[in-house]
Amino acid sequence: MKSGKVNYHSVHSIDEAITLSQTHEGNVKYIAGGQSLTPMMNLRLIFSEEIIDISKIQELKQSYFFQGRFFIGAAVTHAMIEDGKVNDPTNGYLQYVAQGIAYRGVRNKGTIGGSIVNADPAADWPTALLALGASVMIKDLTNDIETPIGHFQCGLMQTTLKESDLVKGVLVPDLSKDAKWSYVKFCHKVGEFAHSIAAIVIDPNLGIFNAALGAAGDKPILLPRLSEYLKSVNISNNDFEIELNDILERDLLENINHLPSSYEFNLHRSIIKKAVMEALIK
Amino acid sequence: MSLISIHVNNQAFEIEIDDRMSLADFLRNTINLTGTHLACELGVCGSCTVLVNDEPIRSCITLAASVSGMSVQTIEGFEEDSKMKVIRECFSEAHGLQCGFCTPGMLITVRDMIIRDKCKTENQIRKELSGNLCRCTGYAGIVKATELAIQRINNQEDHFVGQGKI
Amino acid sequence: MDKPGKGVGARILRKEDARHLHGKGQFVSDIQIPGIIEVAFVRSSYAHGIIKNIQIPDEFKDKVFQASDFPNVKPIIAVPKVDGFKYSEHPALAFDRVRFAGEPIAMAIGANRSIAEDIADSVYVDIEELPAVVDLLEATQSDSPLIREEWGDNIYVSKHSQYGDIELAQQQAAVRIERSFKMNRQSAAPLEGRAILAMWDHRLNELVVYIGSQSPHQTRVGMAQALGIDENQLHLITPDMGGAFGAKRVLYPEELMVVALALKLKKPVRWIDDKREHLMTAIHCREHHHKVIAYADSQGKILGLDVDIHVDAGAYSHWPNGPFMETGMASRNIPGPYVVPNYRVKTFTVATNKSPIGAYRGVARPAACFTIERIIDEIAHAVGREPYMVRMENMVPEESMPYRNITNLLFDSGNYAESVRRAAELIEFQKIRLRQQNGEKDGRLIGVGFASFTEQTAHGCGEWVSRGVPVIPGYETASARMMTDGSLIISVGIVSHGQGMETSLAQVACEELGIDPIHVSIRHGDTQTSAFGMGTFASRSMVMAGGAVAKACRLLKSKIGVIAAHLLGCQLQDLSFEDDLIHGPTSSIALKEVARIAHLRQEALPKGIDPLLEVLVTYEPNIDTGVFTYATQVAVVAVDVDTGKVDILDYAIVEDCGTVVNPLIVDGQIIGGIAQGIGTALYEEIPYNENGQPLATTLADYLIPGATEIPAIKIGHMVSPSEHTEYGMKGMGEGGAIAPPAAIANAIRDALKSLGAELNETPMTPPRVYAAIMKAKGKLSKSSEVTL
């Protein structure tokens, strides 16, 4: 399983990357960690002639607070977040998500930017960042664009990126001290892609009430009824469980393409429920 | 084609390579370090694990061109490493290898786990090992070797501290 | 249990560790040869079709080879000597018809694999698609498309056997259990795939072939036949091998063609199997469908078994054995370790458009064990008794040994029921029953399940003849050459590839000669340095090669003894061999001194004794019906009824493989085998879609268990030495893999008892577990259908 022919370019600035991409009329693949791209090259599922290595661009490795939110550069690796080398303004949520991605050898190279650009609905960051209400910072030919992550991923392995666009990083909220979160995923085997992912983030101060479901369709989704329910939920309420079940049932019926009698439907319901309980009990 | 400059096991190389060449193929075929093994070529099994700038990565899904300017350490490059010496002894005593194919990647991973202090419980050890597949041992010997190694390495280091050497 | 010293029974560390721990192993892909040519195969993208045309771009015409370039290479023919086994040929490169997705059609070459793959990709094969035969039961229907028209059906062979009177059992029975069991298709998936490097040696006028093979001597036979060359011009060497488990025992078409190409080009040619090729086209295994009706009395005593066995054997018959062993072994092992008075069995070895099957660790016994062990549990449930008790009561008792079971397997020795009892103890059975009463905080249901089995090992000539295999692996060889300094080289016909035989066979030499294993070099895998031998498979190597090494060392010992007695001036019977010395009543002499004299100081030898210390022997155990290792495995599982996830909380095995040569190595084989069994039970599967396309062809889809999926395993040993082997040892390499699917399925059954849900299909993935639960909730009647 050897890759087809490619031309490799290493660049050291965002402008260099975009300019080079333009030179090749956008027929390029940006590579950061390569943990998704290189396997596909080895399988010859991707035939990109020009590979532009953006992993050495310093600007993409940075992270800092920016206007009340926190910017994480696209080339920041999962291991950097796992190890706490990056400030975690989410009360441990980012760190928890990062340490569960694949295996350490992959985490040492895989990047948060690479993960969201690859846009695999069964990967971790797309769902996890959706629950945070994160935004994606994109540099196109002329501008810096901020896109909410829910819009950014628009289909199976598809994003709104245009030719030559480069993801600079993500912006995540600086969660309040009493914010609650949970992140639950279901895999048959540790480290493989998930068959269901539920991510919950509740921060009343910031107005964040998000329940996200991944690995259930072409892209991760926010569950509207459940998210709304999180605003007023009271776990000690007698009717809590009945209400929750009803809401989950309806959210799933309305938002995923699986029959209620199917295994997938029940799996997702089970995982979301688990995530809700974990988040609320904290 | 790209000209790459790379340190492998403390030896400098400057070689022109095909851009699509993986680091694993570079190590095995270009500079004849065949201790790094290829099995899945997808980044799943960990047989190809080497250190790049002291971090374990999968060399089968790393372009050789992308590590130009970096320092690579393969299984052949740990002859003077005191931790690896202990880990090797423990692997033998605990029967942590059978056919030997996964072993180089396994050893490098275990050493990294010990350095990062991720061997506090059997469960943690198994989780950290989950990225290195072994088809022969059923992992029991590998887990035992890791537990043994971390005990011995800690004792060694305590011993040194006790003697006033840090 | 460990013996002191360095002989048989000692827990000495492995000699082979030294090179592997330093990355100095030498696998076929590690061998560096200048000017090597790498091969990439052009393979069929269709499961079934007629090849119309092979289009090669002009610039690559001399870089692509097809069947027509090798008119002298004969097709591979493997037709077991079994009544009614239909004849077929397996062309190494398809030229008119393709019969499974991935079948090799042409070879592309390049200076490296990347280039070879570029060229392979440029070749267009025009195939007229034919309907694919995919489902093994549908393949036997009269309206199924045919894979070989001349057969008239898709059945390699069918065999019906009757033992006793099944109708009588039916009449007498108080309990009737009817079930279907399915094990799905998987791969042996060793970490290192197939690998072969062939090059012509001009000086020796031979083709040197480095090949990952469990039986290089045997493979040489098949290659020489197909290529039409003399065997003395074919030198196969198996260097280090990254696991095999049965996947490297057959002669693959790709291997034959690499050798043919090397002969044609007179250049070094190599092919390294990548994981995708391996999962698609190396041997497949485990795909069985069993339909069973079991009859028992009101206490749960088995009265009879009525069984239909279908095995999906794939598109071709692999050399040497073909696929018949799978149904043969299944039918003989379904009675398990039990007394079964009446048995009727019909077997069907079915051809489909899938990769051909081979004998993967355990062969058909995991499927047979799955069937009989699930049946025993269902009988127990039907009569309201503990499964492990019903199991024990049905077992062949120790006092009946040797016992010829209903399918003519001669159980030699052992206390099968005791292994169950001890396994229950090891797993703390009563505690689990208590725990079940209390319930789990997380809402999961826990259960405990047993599975027992016998493992026929080191069987000899008669047994293999009865199986109809064309090559009879009934013996092994060893040559022992003592050097002039007393160090020893022992060459054997088996191939150690993880089983530690460079160490354990040296321990045998130590046991006989008192020589330190450090001075003993075990050579294996090289067809030129060892006499003909059959190889490593069927749990035979330690018994067969160990026996040969013991015999060879004893011959050496007697000659050395005569010389030593002469030099020490004492009687032969007064000598003892220990610590590299030979001790007489009043003085001693070093082994190496005797060796020096035997080679370099001929004048000191006693009259009538020739120089040199070198012998060659063949060996077989003194019965050929095999020596039977047995074990009981027990699993404790937790089932999440919402997600279907099964976690193994605890696992134990009590096994008896007779005398243990090296406990470290034996435990390693047990655990490794169990890990593969757990893979079969819960994770591994290659599904095919209706077009015959395999759906799991990378390790991303084909799930091999990692360290988090395999629990710690408790091991108990019993020792019933065999009367028929050296030191009383028995083979045991496969056993671990036989019982886990059954033990885990029984544990899940126990966990879900209140729901009445059963899992009768592997792997028992979360969706299948969930479906079984839903089915039980929907239909309260006992299931006779295969789930999912």
Side-chain angles (χ1 to χ4, degrees), chain C residues 122-155:
Chain C
S122 75
V123 176
Y124 175 67
V125 184
D126 186 10
I127 295 179
E128 180 189 300
E129 207 178 348
L130 294 172
V133 179
V134 180
D135 180 271
L136 87 150
L137 294 179
E138 281 171 27
T140 62
Q141 303 301 318
S142 56
D143 58 353
S144 170
L146 292 178
I147 295 174
R148 288 181 186 81
E149 283 75 21
E150 67 271 20
W151 282 11
D153 62 24
N154 290 317
I155 299 176

Side-chain angles (χ1 to χ4, degrees), chain C residues 633-699:
Chain C
Q633 297 186 10
V634 53
V636 180
V637 302
V639 183
D640 183 324
V641 299
D642 292 320
T643 64
K645 186 87 171 49
V646 174
D647 285 331
I648 303 175
L649 300 182
D650 203 1
Y651 206 98
I653 175 176
V654 174
E655 69 87 58
D656 183 342
C657 62
T659 302
V660 168
V661 175
N662 186 322
L664 194 65
I665 290 173
V666 163
D667 282 358
Q669 292 302 304
I670 290 170
I671 298 172
I674 289 175
Q676 289 187 304
I678 290 173
T680 298
L682 297 172
Y683 301 101
E684 296 177 50
E685 181 177 359
I686 301 182
Y688 275 75
N689 71 11
E690 68 274 14
N691 296 321
Q693 294 297 323
L695 299 177
T697 57
T698 69
L699 289 193

Side-chain angles (χ1 to χ4, degrees), chain A residues 33-41 46 114-115 118 193, chain B residues 61:
Chain A
Q35 303 301 278
S36 306
L37 188 63
T38 331
M40 289 202 267
M41 284 165 59
I46 284 185
S115 173
N118 191 41
F193 279 98
Chain B
I61 51 171

